[in-house]
Every structure is written in structure tokens, then in C-alpha cells.
Amino acid sequence: MTDVTSSTNLYAEVQQFYATQMQRLDSVDVEGYAATFTDDAEFIHSPGQPGSHTRDGIIRDVYKVAEQFKTDPQQRRHWFNMVNLEPLDDGSIKSTVYCLVVKNRPGQKPDFVSCVVNDILVRVDGALLTQYRRVDYD
Amino acid sequence: MTDVTSSTNLYAEVQQFYATQMQRLDSVDVEGYAATFTDDAEFIHSPGQPGSHTRDGIIRDVYKVAEQFKTDPQQRRHWFNMVNLEPLDDGSIKSTVYCLVVKNRPGQKPDFVSCVVNDILVRVDGALLTQYRRVDYD
Amino acid sequence: MTDVTSSTNLYAEVQQFYATQMQRLDSVDVEGYAATFTDDAEFIHSPGQPGSHTRDGIIRDVYKVAEQFKTDPQQRRHWFNMVNLEPLDDGSIKSTVYCLVVKNRPGQKPDFVSCVVNDILVRVDGALLTQYRRVDYD
């Protein structure tokens, strides 16, 4: 339990978690990406629109998004930075993170989308998972 | 004092500090932002121009900058990265950091400004604070 | 040896290492930059083209690249992020990192290049060094 209480070790662990999570998404390892969420996760991609629920729901919705890239091929890179952690009383961790989505289309300069990721992270069997995510676009 | 001497724990602590500091600035929590500087801080925004001095001075100058955004609305996001720390003999920490200011204006693609932040961080009552900051623009 | 086995301390150490390494490159401290590679390092800048070998080779090739900037002056900033570490059985560390090269030309908006850095890091006399680097461009 040392990692949970030591905020400095936790900080590196969260950064490694996000690197793994988003590199999986960007390499279209959809199942591997969904495995970084809890079974009962809620993921609100766009405020005002229905979110994804459960790992199966996330898998379905990510494949749906990937469909669009067939007609608009691009290598996306999700950059998370300025990770702001706040351990909550129930043992979960509130994480507020800046995100830049870098969209690389063949022969074009990168395109950027700026947003803020609002996460609740929990520890399940020792490993960090995302239980809740809401993305707010700038 | 463990955190001060262990550069790896210090590293995460500085990253968390910068995340807190700049998320406050970007959400226009001006007083909260100024509270991350020492009482006697010096903040040189633009080389060759007079800097801000003391927390009160920083508050005044940040509000002045915020005035401009009334006619040019934008959500700014300050990204700090490539944090390079060098503990100094007097117990303070020299921190040299790359910064991208992401300016999000309604309906437009993000605009970027690249700069380098040169900080001296000190520990006051256990917490990190910025004592000196000079921003060099690329 | 604590740092080697504690992945969370290692994480901060790698981030500090990359900050030092790339700030040296961006300030054209070519010898200092090359010193962050092992004597026998291999550095593949562009897949399909011959890489740089050994510190001397890296110095020679970086000076060659710097030549181009005489007719196209620019302050480059190499941003590494989303650091994904995987300790290998032989004690080395596989590091997969997102990189944005920010090119700042006088009077122009920054230009960006997105790539992925694939490193093998090793510890020599206690310090991290890059033994192998392959850059894949998006």
C-alpha cells in the first residue's frame, strides 16, 4: 500500500499508466485500451452526448470512431500532461490532465485538438484503472 | 527533509507543483496562482521589460493580462515539460522547463507560443514555491 | 541499486535524463548531447537511412544537421512525453516515447513534427545512457 499513500511514487505510476493507456489507443489496440478501464467504467467523450459504459461499451465505441479513419487516415497521438492528482477520501484518485490530440495525416502538418481530461482512478488488484473519464474540449 | 535530498521524489513533486500552479492560472484563479510564488517573488515575463514583484504585484499584473482577453476571448493552456532540475547549494532548486502556451480561440485551431521558463524554487513550510521566474521566448 | 528496481523512482530519473539530453541538443551542446549515449551507441534517425554509430559518429552527424540551420535559422525544442518504460531481463530499459519537435523560426508560428522515439537505455557507472535509438516519424 506504500504507493497509494506516497504521492510522489503515485505520480510516476499515473504517468506510466497514461503512457500505456494512450499508446494502446493510438496503436488501435482497442481491447488493450479498454482493459485500462474498470468493468463498470463510465467514459464521457463529449459533454452533452451519451458516454460509453463498461469495457464492452468502450470497445464498441472506439471501433466506431476507428471506422471514421478509414476515409480520413491519420495517426493520432494523445498527449497527456500537467497531471494534477488529488487523492480522495474513498481511496480513489481525482486526476485533472491537459490533453493535446495530435492528428497526423499523410503529407500534412499535424493538427491539434486541446482538451482537459477529468478522471477518477482506482486501484484494482494492485493496478491503476480508470473508473470515470469526462473529456472537456477547449 | 527526505524529499529535498531525493531527486527522484522531488521530480514528481515539482511536476505536481507546476500542474497545480498553471491550472490555476489557466482557470483565472489569480489569487491561487499568486499563492504559488513567494511573498518576495520576482517574475520577469518578457526580457527587457519590468517584471512583477511580490504576490500583490503578480496579482495586479495577471489581472491586467486577463483584461486583454475580454476583447480576444481564449482559453489558454500552459504546458510545462522537459523539466530539468538542479539542486543548488543554498537548498533552492534551479528548474529549466520548456513551455508551450496553447491558445484556444472559439472556432479556431489552437495557436502556440514556445518559450523556456527559468525558475528558482524554494521550500517554505514544507511546500514548494516559485521565488524567481524568467520567461525567455523562442 | 534501489533506483534500478523501483520503477517509480526510475520513471522520474528517465524524465530528468531526457530533459538534460534534449536541452543539450536544442542548445547545440553537441558534445554534451553525445555524452548521453553509450560509446557504442546506434542512433537511427530515419528508418531506411544509415544511422549514426558511436559517440564520435553522433557528434559528426549532429554537426552536419546543424549546418542546415545556417540557411534556415530556427530554435528547435524537442518535447518528449508519454514515456512508456519496460525493464528488460538483461537490466536494460526499453523506452517508447512520443516526441514533438517544435521548430521556431524568426517571426513565424511554431512548426511541429510528430514522431515516436524507441530507446534502449542502460546504466553505466550509475548513470543512464542511451544505447540504441530509433526514431519513427508519423
Side-chain angles (χ1 to χ4, degrees):
Chain A
M1 295 295 287
T2 319
D3 280 357
V4 185
T5 51
S6 159
S7 67
T8 48
N9 279 351
L10 177 64
Y11 200 87
E13 194 184 355
V14 170
Q15 290 180 301
Q16 172 66 58
F17 170 73
Y18 282 140
T20 303
Q21 183 181 56
M22 302 314 288
Q23 289 190 7
R24 287 182 185 175
L25 178 61
D26 293 336
S27 61
V28 201
D29 170 11
V30 179
E31 282 75 12
Y33 173 69
T36 64
F37 291 80
T38 60
D39 276 335
D40 64 345
E42 182 177 9
F43 180 4
I44 303 174
H45 327 80
S46 315
Q49 289 185 31
S52 304
H53 292 267
T54 76
R55 280 187 190 157
D56 285 348
I58 290 171
I59 290 173
R60 206 166 40 235
D61 290 345
V62 173
Y63 273 120
K64 221 177 283 175
V65 171
E67 277 294 308
Q68 309 171 3
F69 300 140
K70 290 189 180 167
T71 53
D72 178 18
Q74 57 188 263
Q75 174 63 61
R76 293 190 305 166
R77 302 286 174 200
H78 286 79
W79 283 59
F80 280 29
N81 201 9
M82 305 306 273
V83 175
N84 186 3
L85 300 184
E86 189 187 333
L88 302 181
D89 286 342
D90 64 359
S92 65
I93 303 144
K94 184 180 168 189
S95 176
T96 309
V97 184
Y98 287 179
C99 172
L100 265 184
V101 189
V102 187
K103 300 180 174 188
N104 297 285
R105 295 183 176 90
Q108 295 184 32
K109 290 186 180 181
D111 224 5
F112 295 91
V113 175
S114 171
C115 50
V116 177
V117 174
N118 305 275
D119 272 4
I120 299 293
L121 305 176
V122 295
R123 194 175 292 278
V124 178
D125 296 335
L128 290 176
L129 295 175
T130 301
Q131 187 177 57
Y132 173 84
R133 172 165 293 174
R134 193 189 76 240
V135 182
D136 293 332
Y137 287 87
D138 285 328
Chain B
M1 296 294 287
T2 320
D3 280 357
V4 186
T5 51
S6 160
S7 68
T8 49
N9 279 350
L10 177 65
Y11 200 86
E13 193 184 354
V14 170
Q15 291 180 301
Q16 172 65 60
F17 170 73
Y18 282 139
T20 304
Q21 183 181 56
M22 302 315 288
Q23 289 190 8
R24 287 183 185 176
L25 178 62
D26 293 337
S27 61
V28 200
D29 170 10
V30 179
E31 282 75 12
Y33 173 69
T36 63
F37 290 80
T38 61
D39 276 335
D40 64 346
E42 181 176 10
F43 180 5
I44 303 175
H45 327 80
S46 315
Q49 289 184 30
S52 305
H53 292 268
T54 77
R55 281 187 190 157
D56 285 348
I58 290 171
I59 290 174
R60 207 166 38 236
D61 290 346
V62 173
Y63 272 120
K64 220 177 284 175
V65 171
E67 277 294 308
Q68 310 171 4
F69 300 140
K70 290 190 179 165
T71 53
D72 179 17
Q74 58 189 264
Q75 175 63 61
R76 293 189 305 166
R77 302 285 174 201
H78 286 80
W79 284 59
F80 280 28
N81 201 9
M82 306 305 274
V83 175
N84 186 3
L85 299 184
E86 189 187 334
L88 302 182
D89 287 341
D90 65 0
S92 66
I93 304 144
K94 184 180 168 187
S95 176
T96 309
V97 184
Y98 287 179
C99 172
L100 265 183
V101 189
V102 187
K103 301 179 174 188
N104 298 284
R105 295 185 176 89
Q108 297 183 29
K109 290 187 180 180
D111 224 6
F112 295 91
V113 174
S114 171
C115 49
V116 177
V117 174
N118 304 276
D119 272 4
I120 300 293
L121 306 176
V122 294
R123 195 174 291 276
V124 178
D125 296 334
L128 290 176
L129 295 175
T130 301
Q131 187 178 55
Y132 173 85
R133 172 166 294 175
R134 193 189 74 240
V135 182
D136 294 331
Y137 287 87
D138 286 328
Chain C
M1 294 295 287
T2 319
D3 279 359
V4 186
T5 52
S6 159
S7 67
T8 49
N9 279 350
L10 177 65
Y11 200 86
E13 193 184 354
V14 169
Q15 290 179 303
Q16 172 66 57
F17 170 73
Y18 282 140
T20 304
Q21 182 181 55
M22 302 314 288
Q23 289 190 9
R24 287 183 185 175
L25 178 61
D26 293 336
S27 61
V28 200
D29 169 11
V30 179
E31 282 75 12
Y33 173 69
T36 64
F37 290 81
T38 60
D39 275 334
D40 64 346
E42 180 176 8
F43 180 3
I44 304 174
H45 327 80
S46 316
Q49 289 184 29
S52 305
H53 292 267
T54 77
R55 281 187 189 157
D56 284 348
I58 290 171
I59 290 173
R60 205 166 39 236
D61 290 346
V62 173
Y63 272 120
K64 221 178 281 176
V65 171
E67 277 294 308
Q68 309 171 4
F69 300 140
K70 291 190 178 165
T71 53
D72 179 17
Q74 57 188 265
Q75 175 63 61
R76 293 190 304 167
R77 302 286 175 201
H78 286 80
W79 284 59
F80 280 29
N81 201 8
M82 306 305 274
V83 175
N84 186 3
L85 299 185
E86 189 187 332
L88 302 181
D89 286 341
D90 64 0
S92 66
I93 304 144
K94 184 181 167 186
S95 176
T96 310
V97 184
Y98 286 180
C99 172
L100 266 184
V101 189
V102 187
K103 301 180 175 188
N104 297 285
R105 295 184 177 89
Q108 296 184 32
K109 290 186 180 181
D111 223 6
F112 294 91
V113 174
S114 172
C115 49
V116 177
V117 173
N118 304 275
D119 273 4
I120 300 293
L121 306 176
V122 294
R123 196 174 291 277
V124 178
D125 297 334
L128 289 176
L129 295 175
T130 300
Q131 187 178 56
Y132 173 85
R133 172 165 294 174
R134 193 191 74 241
V135 182
D136 294 331
Y137 287 87
D138 285 328

